[in-house]
Amino acid sequence: MTEDAGQVRVCEYRRCGAALPPAVGRGSRARFCQDGKTWGRRNLSCRDAEAVLSDAESLRESDTELDDTAVTALAGQVDRVLEPARGLVETLTTLRHQLEATTAAALAERDAALAEADEHRLQRGRADAEAAQARDAAETAVAAAAAAEKEKAAALRERDEELAARRAAVQEQQRAEGQLAAVRDELARVADRADASAALAGERAAVIATLTAELAATRTALEEERGRGQVAAARAEVAENRADAVQERLDAAGAEHAKAVAAHEAALDRARAEAERRQAGFDQRLAELQAAHEQTVRSMHETTTNLGAELRAVLGRADAAERELAGVLAVLREAPELPEILNQLLDRWPERS
């Protein structure tokens, strides 16, 4: 082919079209770039790339250009690759919802257990307060019994003093009566002597008068001693009555003390039984909650393990699909000629993937 020296020539590779240097002298003219430019993964020169395209065109069954079937096939390959990723997203979403529900249930059970423990502590505090009140009542009854015991001891001492005074009065009365008997005996003897010795009557008259005066004084002293004895007896009787009253009060206080002690012991037994029952219920509820929590943890662990296995399987399928897509893309990139829209999709695919 003959060309003028001033005509502009371009590379005949249809995808290059770069300007060629002007021909100098006679001889054959270069039709392709000679500057070392390469194309594709095989680093083909402009001449070789044009030859590959020509061979690809010669292998086609018809001269019609590639229609939408290739695009549809590529879209199907892309959908098959994206499907495991969608399944993975759905699986992870389900896992998150399950974990949130399980965590919320566990937290709710924990809050319920804490509230129940607070109620048990409140009831135990009330039982302790009732027991403390019973102890206070028992201590009050013990103090009252001690005071009554002191009053009884004082009354007994006063009664003993009155009895001692009564015994002293009786002894004094006995001495006075003995003296009166002695005086009577002496009067009897004097009378006998007076009858026997009438002559001595004058002499004995003074003695008789004296003895009569002594007898009257003795009688007066005896009456006084009898009065004092009666007063002492009355005081002793009053003391005995007071001692009986104190004994009755002491008996009543003892009965009240015994009743308070019995009530205190009954209250303590009831409080202890209630505390033990509530403690047993709390321990049983705590054991149930711990078992439920352990079951929840095991279920979460099993769910996580299963989801991890499923996730690994999905990731394996995604890797296989990605490798398959990479193979399809490699085949498509090595094709001799594709529509411009497929070339644009292939150029943008690595960026999106």
Side-chain angles (χ1 to χ4, degrees):
M1 182 173 56
T2 305
E3 296 176 312
D4 296 335
Q7 186 178 2
V8 177
R9 298 180 308 110
V10 295
C11 179
E12 293 185 6
Y13 177 45
R14 67 194 69 180
R15 293 189 179 180
C16 180
L20 297 175
V24 178
R26 294 180 177 273
S28 61
R29 301 292 188 269
R31 298 167 52 197
F32 302 94
C33 295
Q34 304 295 325
D35 54 1
K37 185 186 302 180
T38 58
W39 300 88
R41 294 184 179 180
R42 298 181 182 178
N43 295 325
L44 301 177
S45 63
C46 292
R47 180 187 300 276
D48 295 336
E50 182 62 28
V52 170
L53 287 178
S54 298
D55 293 339
E57 288 178 353
S58 65
L59 293 176
R60 291 178 181 172
E61 295 180 358
S62 64
D63 294 337
T64 58
E65 297 202 2
L66 191 61
D67 54 7
D68 294 340
T69 304
V71 178
T72 304
L74 179 61
Q77 292 287 340
V78 172
D79 291 337
R80 283 195 298 274
V81 173
L82 292 178
E83 187 63 28
R86 295 193 187 96
L88 175 60
V89 172
E90 292 177 357
T91 301
L92 292 177
T93 303
T94 304
L95 174 60
R96 186 190 67 184
H97 292 330
Q98 291 178 354
L99 289 177
E100 289 177 353
T102 303
T103 304
L107 291 176
E109 292 181 357
R110 185 198 64 183
D111 295 338
L114 292 176
E116 187 173 356
D118 293 336
E119 181 65 22
H120 283 309
R121 282 194 292 272
L122 179 60
Q123 293 177 359
R124 181 180 295 178
R126 292 175 179 174
D128 293 338
E130 293 177 357
Q133 292 178 357
R135 284 195 298 271
D136 294 338
E139 291 175 358
T140 302
V142 169
E149 187 68 25
K150 291 180 180 179
E151 291 182 359
K152 179 181 178 181
L156 290 176
R157 286 194 301 271
E158 187 175 355
R159 184 187 63 181
D160 294 338
E161 292 176 357
E162 294 294 335
L163 290 176
R166 179 184 294 182
R167 286 193 295 270
V170 170
Q171 292 176 359
E172 186 67 22
Q173 182 179 358
Q174 290 176 354
R175 284 194 298 272
E177 289 178 354
Q179 292 177 0
L180 179 60
V183 171
R184 286 178 179 176
D185 292 340
E186 185 67 23
L187 287 175
R189 286 191 298 272
V190 170
D192 290 339
R193 286 193 298 272
D195 292 337
S197 301
L200 298 176
E203 296 177 0
R204 301 288 184 179
V207 175
I208 291 172
T210 303
L211 292 176
T212 302
E214 292 180 355
L215 178 61
T218 303
R219 288 177 179 176
T220 302
L222 181 61
E223 292 297 332
E224 291 178 355
E225 290 296 331
R226 285 180 179 177
R228 287 195 295 270
Q230 291 176 356
V231 172
R235 291 179 61 187
E237 184 177 0
V238 172
E240 289 180 356
N241 293 332
R242 290 181 60 187
D244 293 337
V246 171
Q247 182 65 35
E248 292 178 357
R249 290 177 59 188
L250 183 60
D251 295 338
E256 187 68 23
H257 173 65
K259 187 184 297 184
V261 170
H264 172 63
E265 292 178 353
L268 287 179
D269 293 337
R270 290 195 301 271
R272 189 179 297 109
E274 183 67 18
E276 291 177 354
R277 184 184 66 81
R278 292 175 179 175
Q279 182 65 33
F282 175 73
D283 294 338
Q284 182 179 2
R285 179 59 178 167
L286 182 60
E288 292 176 355
L289 291 176
Q290 289 178 351
H293 177 66
E294 292 176 357
Q295 181 64 28
T296 302
V297 171
R298 286 195 297 269
S299 178
M300 291 176 62
H301 181 68
E302 292 176 358
T303 302
T304 305
T305 303
N306 295 332
L307 290 176
E310 186 176 354
L311 177 61
R312 287 191 294 273
V314 171
L315 291 176
R317 291 196 297 271
D319 293 339
E322 185 176 359
R323 288 193 297 270
E324 183 179 354
L325 178 60
V328 172
L329 294 176
V331 172
L332 291 175
R333 287 193 179 96
E334 292 177 359
E337 183 177 0
L338 293 175
E340 186 64 26
I341 185 171
L342 289 181
N343 291 327
Q344 293 176 0
L345 287 174
L346 292 175
D347 293 337
R348 289 197 300 269
W349 177 259
E351 297 177 358
R352 288 187 291 181
S353 61

